[in-house]
Amino acid sequence: MMIRFCFLLLLLAVAAAEDPYRFFNWNITYGDIYPLGLKQQGILINGQFPGPEIYAVTNDNLIINVFNNLPLPFLLSWNGVQQRRNSFQDGVYGTTCPIPPGKNYTYKLQVKDQIGSFFYFPSLDFHKAAGAFGAIKILSRPRIPVPFPDPADDFSLLIGDWLPFPQAVLINGRANATSFTVEQGKPYRLRISNVGLQNTLNFRIQGHTMKLVEVEGTHTVQTTYSSLDVHVGQSYSVLVTADQPPQDYYIAVSTRFTNKQLTTTAILHYANSQQSVSGPIPAGPTTQIDWSLQQARSIRTNLTASGPRPNPQGSYHYGLINLTKTFILESSAAQVQGKQRYAVNSVSFLPADTPLKLADYFKIDGVFQVGSIPDTPSGKPMYLDTSVMGADFRAFVEIVFQNHENIVQSWHIDGYSFRVVGMDGGVWTPASRSEYNLNDAVSRCTTQVYPKSWTAVYVALDNVGMWNVRSEFWARQYLGQQFYLRVYSPVESPRDEYPIPTNALLCGKAAPRHK
Ligand SMILES: *[C@@H]1O[C@H](CO)[C@@H](O)[C@H](O)[C@H]1NC(C)=O
Ligand SMILES: *[C@@H]1O[C@H](CO)[C@@H](O)[C@H](O)[C@H]1NC(C)=O
Ligand SMILES: *[C@@H]1O[C@H](CO)[C@@H](O)[C@H](O)[C@H]1NC(C)=O
Ligand SMILES: *[C@@H]1O[C@H](CO)[C@@H](O)[C@H](O)[C@H]1NC(C)=O
Ligand SMILES: *[C@@H]1O[C@H](CO)[C@@H](O)[C@H](O)[C@H]1NC(C)=O
């Protein structure tokens, strides 16, 4: 009896043991940056551009107090952090009130059941084009096996095009000016995120190959590549071994699928280097879409490797689950009332005066309507609306992104990761399902859609909330190519969704309400 009682106490103690906390105080200011060598004004976090790196371990609680010292409203969002049960703090326009100038807001996030490489960014207007982005690394808990040896160091590389459209490509905030020091013979992890505004970037290192190990939280089959296409909003981890003669090597990043190719470099510096960089900057792939599509299809989940938990990632047989529903999301560009706009299923997103999540929570009418965007194309001419699509909690859905245009698109869904089951040229039909990968498709949060092509993903809608679905091509997102997916449960329970944060800022029609 006593033993059993002790055991019960132990269980309770384990259940009550809180996951660790990490605290951050961030001061957002304007300041001087030198991305291209010349002084310009950027948005800094604690004086830094890019912003400080967030280093966390699975399940850590992150308490991030953001002081907005800009003369404008400001918000940060967390690309790839799933915000389980917590869409109030997603930090996008539709979920969270902007932090007014001179005020602060403390985000309380938990990186629940996550590992991998992600980034944060300022979500309002075009702040992203001026800085305030940074890397997020989520490491596995100590006893969870990681399917590769510990690297000698773990570098974050934030790559992205830089305005005006694009004049240059930056690596960690600089063009042709960053250096990474490595020791002969040792393996290094490079976490590469495309934090830019629109361009796909190709990444490669002179004289070295890269072993892909992780994509947005999934340990991948460890394939070796000589270069990697990173679409806007995406993150990859590669292992690079310093196994070449001791000298300095170019790291090269260049724009893809553009008429004029822009290239920027950084240096892989061997600590015992005998020679500075020499020879031509390594060239990227010259073939266009096919090469990139083949590479995308080769990126798969390592079914025997652990994810955030010790069980193998592949034990969840997503291919055997019956689909509840199919959404087909067609992107388009057109003029509406004489202005350039972009849309999903003919609806170009129109911001409301109140975050949709707060309007939903306080039951404020007249802000948005569920169903204001159809879940398959309607064929109507483009129109403006505050588009919110309804979906049921625990549905298992197929989403097809259809691209009739001649550019590469990149789509992101907040609050989730999804299985990229297929992509191909042409128009998706139900027959396209015969080419799906129902075994080891990669699970991630941002996927590309090639020109005049489709990409299909499977998503288990297990996270209640109001979630932004957006183009990562920032001008398109800004001009309407986004909407909100309201994943709804009729049962109001903190098991499914946390209550509104006690410190939530209130604005718009929610401003006079009391919590
Ligand atoms: C933030 O930085 C500004 C400018 O340097 C400074 O005036 C202000 O006191 C700082 N605020 C905090 C909370 O550190
Ligand atoms: C602003 O920061 C203070 C601590 O300096 C904190 O107590 C307060 O909760 C923060 N405000 C919000 C809205 O999070
Ligand atoms: C997958 O992960 C396992 C387990 O850690 C590892 O031994 C194996 O090399 C990996 N396989 C591939 C193909 O990457
Ligand atoms: C960086 O170097 C590349 C390759 O030499 C060059 O094409 C590019 O113009 C440089 N960028 C800047 C901003 O200096
Ligand atoms: C899927 O649906 C089929 C046909 O209705 C049914 O036989 C099967 O049991 C279902 N599978 C699962 C995993 O629910």
Side-chain angles (χ1 to χ4, degrees), residues 294-371:
Q294 291 312 320
Q295 179 172 82
R297 286 181 176 153
S298 73
I299 297 172
R300 292 176 290 123
T301 300
N302 179 340
L303 295 176
T304 57
S306 298
R309 287 176 299 278
N311 58 312
Q313 295 186 320
S315 64
Y316 160 59
H317 294 292
Y318 69 94
L320 299 177
I321 303 173
N322 291 330
L323 294 171
T324 319
K325 205 172 167 88
T326 297
F327 298 91
I328 300 174
L329 305 179
E330 213 172 71
S331 52
S332 59
Q335 299 259 318
V336 180
Q337 294 152 15
K339 294 210 172 79
Q340 183 64 44
R341 298 289 304 185
Y342 299 91
V344 184
N345 290 351
S346 302
V347 193
S348 187
F349 184 78
L350 191 65
D353 60 358
T354 307
L356 314 179
K357 182 66 204 164
L358 294 185
D360 207 13
Y361 177 80
F362 290 118
K363 301 189 167 50
I364 302 168
D365 287 337
V367 177
F368 71 90
Q369 279 191 313
V370 178

Side-chain angles (χ1 to χ4, degrees), residues 36 167-168 175-176 263-265 281:
L36 313 176
Q167 184 181 320
N176 305 327
T263 300
T264 200
T265 60
I281 296 170

Side-chain angles (χ1 to χ4, degrees), residues 410-454:
S410 187
W411 284 95
H412 176 87
I413 305 183
D414 277 358
Y416 287 97
S417 68
F418 47 71
R419 298 270 176 172
V420 183
V421 292
M423 49 176 77
D424 209 345
V427 176
W428 181 91
T429 67
S432 308
R433 289 179 181 135
S434 66
E435 53 181 283
Y436 282 4
N437 175 356
L438 295 181
N439 180 43
D440 60 358
V442 79
S443 183
R444 64 185 314 169
C445 56
T446 308
T447 186
Q448 71 272 36
V449 191
Y450 291 103
K452 300 189 185 303
S453 300
W454 55 267

Side-chain angles (χ1 to χ4, degrees), residues 27 36 73 117 174 197 213 222 262 291 324 333 338 405 407-408:
N27 191 1
L36 313 176
S117 313
R174 298 294 303 270
L197 299 172
V213 293
Q222 294 175 9
L262 291 162
W291 183 95
T324 319
E405 297 176 81
I407 59 161
V408 180

Side-chain angles (χ1 to χ4, degrees), residues 145-148 211-213 219-223 301-306:
V146 173
F148 46 88
K211 195 194 271 182
L212 184 70
V213 293
H219 286 133
T220 60
V221 168
Q222 294 175 9
T223 309
T301 300
N302 179 340
L303 295 176
T304 57
S306 298

